[in-house]
Amino acid sequence: MLRSKSKPLSIRDRASAGVERAFQFLLGVIIVSVIYRYCWIDASDPFKCSALQNKGEWLDPGTKWNTWNAFKSWQPPGCMMHEYTKRDIQECFQKRRLVFIGDSTTRQIFWAVAKKMDQQKAQKEIEEMLDLDEKHTDLAFESDGIKVQFIWDPWLNSTTLAEELKLFKAYPSAKSDEPESAGLLLLGTPGLWYARHGQENYFKDFRDSIDAIIPYMDHLPENDTSLPVPMTLASRQESPNLLLMAPIQVPRYEALSPSRVETMTPEKIDQMNDFLQQASAHSRADIVWSYSLMTWDGDSPYEESGLHVVENVATAKAEVLLNLRCNADAALKGYPFDRTCCSNYTQPGGAQWMMILGGMLVLPAILFSRRRHVSQIGRFLPQSEILTAMTVFGLVVCYCFYTDRTQIFDKVHKKFEGSQFLAACGAATAVGALSIRRSKSPTASAKAPQDIEFLPREQTDEWKGWMQFIVLIYHYTHGSSNLGIYQIIRLLIAAYLFMTGYGHTMFFLKSEDYSFKRCAAVLIRLNLLSCVLPYMMRTNYLFYYFAPLVSFWFLVIYFTLKIGHSRNSNLIFLLGKILISVALTTAFTKIPGVLEFVGTVLHYTCAISWNISEWRFRSSLDLYIVYIGMILAALSLRSFRLESGSISPKSAIDLLIQLTIKFPLLFQAALIALALGLPPGMWGLLRKSHTKEDYNWWQPFISFIPILCYIVLRNFLRVFRSYHSTVFAWLGRCSLETYILQYHIWLAADTKGLLKLGLWDSRIETVVLTAVFFWVSWHTAEATHILTRWIVGETAGYAALVRKTSGEDDAVGQKNSPYLLPKVKAEEGASSSLSNGVRAAASNGRFEGVLGKLNHSLKLRVGLIMFVMWVGNVTYR
């Protein structure tokens, strides 16, 4: 029953209200903090160009005994660098040259870029250069039309340098007969040679050489593009040609040879670098000071000579150059938007502006008017609870946009640490253990079939919850770089799909409800969020691959069981249908050309462009586990009915099932022995898989073994079946939303990085953002439930939440509500697909026929939604 308005709130209700206000305050703190940082602290560097150019730190600093796997992740403050490939470089420079001028430290960066273009060819040319002992010479490297040049000029006073500086223009001329400017020109500061070979006037000579170059690097007003460098890096929003200077490479003095130690003194190097800082500050020339920070702390970044850096550091220097030069227009290439340094996101299009205005202004204003009981418009609006759900949903989608499609929030790289992964899993386990409570006995409902003891709802929710914790930790800590963790996660995803097969099959076989309404309800519940986000985030539906994957398998289950459903009571017939479905699905997925044909039809009819190869890979990984769930559901239901006497044995399979019923202890002992013995054997098999590709081949055929073993061990004692973790079960009920929303409001750059505030300690920010992430996911889950019931025409509101359903949207009273604590109050009354006010208006207005048909026809409502999505697809820009 709904709570009376006059009834005082209980302690639990007041606690729930307090928790809600605390999370609202926390979200407010986050929003105010990032706006402050963006508008004040980062006002001079909105695109993080200066951050990339001048600052940074190593996420994986090594030691002098181990540098091979170190220095691979350089982290500028608040943004993410992209690891450039040969294709990326070709798209950025096209036919323009990359020119490096300087000494051997600059040559290292030249070779790092060359290796990105063609590793084998570059390595061969390096060996030839060393064999000929021609290190002090000009070099040229070309691969697939991209030319990279190195000019040996350790004094920066050659005629070639002068010619390149005269040719350089930030914006290439449209005239084809003019000599072409370099697309990227890096000058290595000549300090080491002036320190090593200069005379008493070394500093004056050094200063004169810098003074001669600075005028070519000086910046002009942003609206003047007539001279070489029209604007500072921090203010540009596109990728013109770039002229940069590298600071003097500070040596590792104790490792220098005796002759170098006498001349390359810290006093000389520091004096020249100080002058370079003054010159760049006065002229605003672009000096890549982050290079100095790469070797600032420790001896491990250097080679044995003490003068040159190890290969990974040289590669990181090349990455900084390429990100400075090529990132500005990278957003035009589409998602994933993982190049957030020196980059500006694509401006919102028409559809995005409509969603932003609707979600942040229109819906909140309508809800405010509805709650104020404005009689003039209230009768035209849905119930307050429906409007609240729509407003929450719209605000969450807008929050996703501002976190992951603007520079308002910081984004940083992931870093895998085994200890961090284990610590996070340990903390989640502790929280789950502290929330273990006795499970309530299942109850029958007039509208839902009677439940059975095997795999009760609370247990499957708990199962989803603890698996979701591990999956989230895996994504956050970059666990995919570890093969063992990757294998575990693949098994957890298979377990999700197993429960999809088991849950839906059990519902259909018990209820015999194959109605369009049931099908639409499940699909809308699964896909509402993952269908709306692509329009806001410029991604596509398959990007949120778990919702499409579960939807695909639901349809497979639905049609497999619906066809000939009047004979589903015949177990042999049912198992035969399942085997035919296995064959058809395998053919549909594996035969080349079938999925491609579907993709082509969708592209030309609905303007949908999906990565068919990625979908084939994803769907093939767990090709058979859903059918294992279906078979187990059929056998479990058959066993229950045979044991209850509602049916009599009719086949050999029934006789085998009766034996398990007649000798339960023997059957349980055999299952336990298998459950304890099979996992070690499987672990030994997995030890032979040394790559992800090798394991992926085995995955479809072996994933059922640990899943069934877990089920046996989780249920073989009554005490195990009688308790569950409430925290894990709560997360399991909103696991779909946490999986999708993590892409944008917890992770960043479309899962490639991590979201940060950029103000406090990283650990504090992680705790704050994680808490808000779970809270937002929980609210989104409830909003999606309510909107789904509204669309399909079921009763909405709190009363609907206490109705028992099954599959992906089950709810049994408060225990299955997506709330961690019960709601304080609920809207009195209920509404169906259209509010009473709208129906009343429609009955007297000119839209009576249209609204009446929409109100009474679910197919029309679904068709209207599909039509709106089709229009959105073909008009989206």
Side-chain angles (χ1 to χ4, degrees):
M1 295 180 62
L2 293 175
R3 187 183 296 109
S4 171
K5 290 184 177 180
S6 61
K7 185 178 180 180
L9 298 177
S10 66
I11 295 177
R12 190 178 181 87
D13 292 333
R14 289 196 295 270
S16 175
V19 169
E20 184 73 11
R21 286 192 292 268
F23 277 110
Q24 291 173 355
F25 174 78
L26 196 59
L27 179 60
V29 169
I30 289 175
I31 294 174
V32 171
S33 299
V34 294
I35 291 176
Y36 164 75
R37 196 212 75 248
Y38 180 74
C39 295
W40 277 272
I41 298 177
D42 291 347
S44 61
D45 187 26
F47 308 123
K48 303 289 186 181
C49 286
S50 292
L52 176 61
Q53 176 188 350
N54 298 315
K55 300 176 183 178
E57 62 179 347
W58 290 110
L59 294 180
D60 53 350
T63 64
K64 60 183 179 181
W65 298 283
N66 180 20
T67 60
W68 180 253
N69 290 320
F71 304 112
K72 291 184 176 181
S73 185
W74 176 252
Q75 177 61 68
C79 66
M80 293 175 58
M81 291 170 52
H82 176 69
E83 184 176 346
Y84 272 79
T85 63
K86 178 178 182 178
R87 180 177 178 181
D88 295 329
I89 297 173
Q90 288 175 322
E91 291 177 351
C92 176
F93 290 94
Q94 297 177 358
K95 295 183 179 181
R96 285 168 285 185
R97 298 170 296 129
L98 291 81
V99 180
F100 299 83
I101 303 178
D103 58 12
S104 57
T105 60
T106 308
R107 185 176 59 210
Q108 277 195 295
I109 307 174
F110 159 81
W111 282 123
V113 173
K115 288 179 180 179
K116 284 184 168 293
M117 299 297 300
D118 191 328
Q119 173 77 27
Q120 294 182 347
K121 181 179 179 181
Q123 192 62 44
K124 181 179 178 181
E125 292 191 10
I126 292 174
E127 293 173 358
E128 291 177 354
M129 179 190 70
L130 295 176
D131 291 340
L132 297 174
D133 196 19
E134 295 180 352
K135 293 184 289 184
H136 298 172
T137 186
D138 296 348
L139 299 170
F141 185 89
E142 183 173 356
S143 178
D144 291 339
I146 300 297
K147 296 180 180 179
V148 188
Q149 293 179 264
F150 171 72
I151 309 301
W152 174 258
D153 185 8
W155 304 97
L156 285 191
N157 59 0
S158 66
T159 56
T160 306
L161 169 62
E163 293 172 357
E164 290 290 347
L165 291 175
K166 290 178 181 178
L167 283 176
F168 181 80
K169 287 185 178 180
Y171 297 94
S173 173
K175 299 179 180 180
S176 58
D177 56 342
E178 290 188 4
E180 186 179 12
S181 166
L184 173 64
L185 180 56
L186 176 68
L187 310 180
T189 305
L192 293 176
W193 276 72
Y194 279 106
R196 178 78 172 90
H197 302 289
Q199 304 301 319
E200 294 180 357
N201 293 330
Y202 77 93
F203 182 70
K204 178 180 180 300
D205 295 337
F206 169 79
R207 186 177 58 191
D208 290 343
S209 66
I210 298 300
D211 287 341
I213 295 171
I214 288 295
Y216 293 95
M217 303 183 67
D218 207 350
H219 290 285
L220 298 174
E222 296 184 13
N223 58 356
D224 187 348
T225 61
S226 60
L227 290 179
V229 186
M231 62 185 71
T232 61
L233 277 172
S235 62
R236 66 192 182 91
Q237 300 186 43
E238 56 184 26
S239 290
N241 296 331
L242 208 56
L243 173 57
L244 299 170
M245 180 177 286
I248 303 172
Q249 174 67 62
V250 178
R252 179 187 168 200
Y253 295 105
E254 60 270 23
L256 295 175
S257 62
S259 60
R260 287 174 173 170
V261 168
E262 293 179 1
T263 54
M264 295 182 178
T265 63
E267 293 77 15
K268 288 183 179 181
I269 302 300
D270 291 345
Q271 183 185 25
M272 288 185 284
N273 265 334
D274 288 343
F275 172 77
L276 198 60
Q277 286 185 332
Q278 296 173 9
S280 64
H282 177 70
S283 66
R284 300 180 71 187
D286 293 320
I287 313 294
V288 191
W289 290 109
S290 58
Y291 283 4
S292 297
L293 298 177
M294 290 183 181
T295 57
W296 183 259
D297 186 19
D299 302 334
S300 49
Y302 293 93
E303 293 181 346
E304 294 181 0
S305 66
L307 193 62
H308 301 106
V309 294
V310 295
E311 182 175 346
N312 287 350
V313 175
T315 301
K317 291 184 176 183
E319 295 287 10
V320 169
L321 286 181
L322 295 171
N323 278 263
L324 283 169
R325 169 59 181 82
C326 302
N327 277 8
D329 54 4
L332 298 176
K333 297 177 173 61
Y335 80 95
F337 296 92
D338 60 346
R339 313 179 192 192
T340 66
C341 289
C342 207
S343 175
N344 189 24
Y345 289 94
T346 305
Q347 294 300 308
Q352 290 172 304
W353 275 121
M354 289 177 61
M355 297 174 73
I356 292 172
L357 294 175
M360 299 187 68
L361 295 177
V362 177
L363 285 175
I366 293 175
L367 178 62
F368 177 81
S369 301
R370 181 69 176 80
R371 287 186 169 178
R372 288 288 181 176
H373 303 290
V374 179
S375 58
Q376 291 82 355
I377 65 172
R379 64 194 184 98
F380 294 100
L381 301 175
Q383 290 288 338
S384 177
E385 188 175 21
I386 303 299
L387 282 174
T388 301
M390 294 173 67
T391 303
V392 168
F393 193 89
L395 288 173
V396 169
V397 172
C398 292
Y399 182 56
C400 291
F401 176 82
Y402 282 103
T403 53
D404 207 22
R405 289 298 181 266
T406 68
Q407 294 282 10
I408 295 177
F409 283 76
D410 279 358
K411 289 93 178 173
V412 300
H413 290 287
K414 297 178 183 179
K415 175 190 175 185
F416 175 72
E417 290 183 1
S419 58
Q420 186 183 43
F421 177 85
L422 293 176
C425 289
T429 302
V431 171
L434 291 174
S435 67
I436 292 177
R437 300 290 185 273
R438 178 178 288 275
S439 302
K440 295 180 180 179
S441 299
T443 57
S445 168
K447 295 195 176 184
Q450 187 176 0
D451 204 348
I452 59 175
E453 289 293 330
F454 183 65
L455 286 182
R457 180 67 188 187
E458 289 171 330
Q459 188 181 126
T460 56
D461 283 341
E462 176 201 76
W463 192 1
K464 291 179 183 178
W466 69 256
M467 290 195 303
Q468 186 67 6
F469 263 120
I470 297 177
V471 170
L472 292 173
I473 294 169
Y474 164 82
H475 287 154
Y476 198 85
T477 59
H478 195 37
S480 59
S481 59
N482 182 281
L483 179 59
I485 298 176
Y486 171 81
Q487 293 171 343
I488 293 173
I489 297 302
R490 288 302 340 154
L491 293 175
L492 299 187
I493 298 298
Y496 274 106
L497 295 176
F498 168 85
M499 281 187 277
T500 296
Y502 179 87
H504 289 303
T505 302
M506 186 65 73
F507 175 87
F508 285 128
L509 292 180
K510 290 193 296 182
S511 68
E512 293 293 329
D513 179 9
Y514 298 98
S515 64
F516 178 77
K517 185 175 183 178
R518 170 63 186 176
C519 183
V522 172
L523 292 177
I524 292 172
R525 169 70 184 90
L526 288 173
N527 294 286
L528 189 59
L529 185 60
S530 56
C531 282
V532 173
L533 278 177
Y535 295 100
M536 178 64 90
M537 307 303 293
R538 295 186 184 274
T539 55
N540 67 42
Y541 174 61
L542 291 187
F543 176 67
Y544 310 96
Y545 88 96
F546 191 71
L549 191 63
V550 175
S551 300
F552 168 76
W553 283 113
F554 169 76
L555 290 174
V556 170
I557 297 165
Y558 175 77
F559 287 111
T560 300
L561 298 178
K562 180 179 173 61
I563 297 173
H565 62 88
S566 60
R567 298 183 59 192
N568 281 347
S569 59
N570 185 328
L571 185 59
I572 300 298
F573 176 77
L574 178 60
L575 294 178
K577 285 201 303 180
I578 292 175
L579 292 178
I580 293 173
S581 179
V582 171
L584 292 177
T585 305
T586 302
F588 178 75
T589 304
K590 293 289 190 178
I591 295 178
V594 178
L595 287 176
E596 286 76 7
F597 173 76
V598 174
T600 302
V601 172
L602 290 174
H603 176 71
Y604 285 105
T605 60
C606 303
I608 294 174
S609 297
W610 288 345
N611 188 334
I612 299 300
S613 298
E614 180 70 12
W615 173 254
R616 176 176 282 116
F617 167 74
R618 295 288 187 182
S619 58
S620 298
L621 279 175
D622 302 294
L623 193 55
Y624 306 117
I625 192 63
V626 172
Y627 293 109
I628 299 297
M630 294 178 67
I631 293 172
L632 184 63
L635 294 177
S636 299
L637 186 60
R638 192 74 171 183
S639 175
F640 174 75
R641 289 173 174 173
L642 285 171
E643 187 176 10
S644 64
S646 59
I647 61 172
S648 58
K650 299 178 180 178
S651 65
I653 297 178
D654 289 341
L655 295 177
L656 291 176
I657 294 175
Q658 275 198 320
L659 288 178
T660 66
I661 298 172
K662 187 175 181 180
F663 303 102
L665 294 179
L666 181 61
F667 179 63
Q668 291 177 9
L671 288 180
I672 294 171
L674 289 173
L676 293 175
L678 287 177
M682 181 177 173
W683 180 81
L685 176 65
L686 295 182
R687 294 279 292 175
K688 297 181 180 180
S689 299
H690 300 295
T691 64
K692 290 182 179 180
E693 292 74 16
D694 187 25
Y695 173 76
N696 289 340
W697 188 90
W698 286 100
Q699 166 79 7
F701 309 106
I702 63 174
S703 59
F704 74 95
I705 297 175
I707 292 171
L708 296 182
C709 291
Y710 169 81
I711 293 173
V712 170
L713 297 177
R714 178 68 175 82
N715 290 275
F716 81 95
L717 291 179
R718 180 175 293 274
V719 67
F720 289 177
R721 297 192 298 270
S722 301
Y723 289 86
H724 75 286
S725 168
T726 56
V727 169
F728 287 158
W730 166 80
L731 181 59
R733 288 187 289 273
C734 59
S735 58
L736 179 65
E737 285 70 28
T738 56
Y739 192 91
I740 295 173
L741 290 177
Q742 67 165 326
Y743 283 58
H744 303 300
I745 68 172
W746 194 51
L747 307 176
D750 299 321
T751 75
K752 301 297 183 181
L754 304 177
L755 198 69
K756 295 294 180 182
L757 305 180
L759 288 171
W760 309 314
D761 180 78
S762 177
R763 289 167 293 185
I764 294 176
E765 292 185 358
T766 297
V767 171
V768 171
L769 288 169
T770 300
V772 170
F773 161 65
F774 282 126
W775 177 70
V776 170
S777 300
W778 153 44
H779 271 290
T780 308
E782 190 203 42
T784 306
H785 273 286
I786 294 173
L787 292 176
T788 298
R789 298 179 189 279
W790 179 58
I791 292 171
V792 301
E794 294 184 5
T795 303
Y798 184 76
L801 289 177
V802 301
R803 293 176 55 192
K804 183 175 180 181
T805 59
S806 186
E808 296 293 331
D809 56 347
D810 284 8
V812 184
Q814 291 184 4
K815 75 181 181 67
N816 276 349
S817 167
Y819 281 101
L820 182 60
L821 295 173
K823 292 179 67 178
V824 176
K825 63 178 181 178
E827 181 77 16
E828 293 191 13
S831 63
S832 57
S833 60
L834 293 176
S835 69
N836 294 330
V838 173
R839 289 198 297 268
S843 64
N844 298 318
R846 56 184 177 178
F847 301 110
E848 175 182 0
V850 175
L851 292 180
K853 289 181 180 179
L854 283 176
N855 183 51
H856 293 96
S857 175
L858 173 60
K859 293 182 179 180
L860 281 180
R861 293 196 296 275
V862 173
L864 179 61
I865 294 173
M866 299 295 290
F867 176 75
V868 171
M869 293 174 59
W870 178 81
V871 172
N873 286 342
V874 298
T875 61
Y876 190 82
R877 297 291 184 270

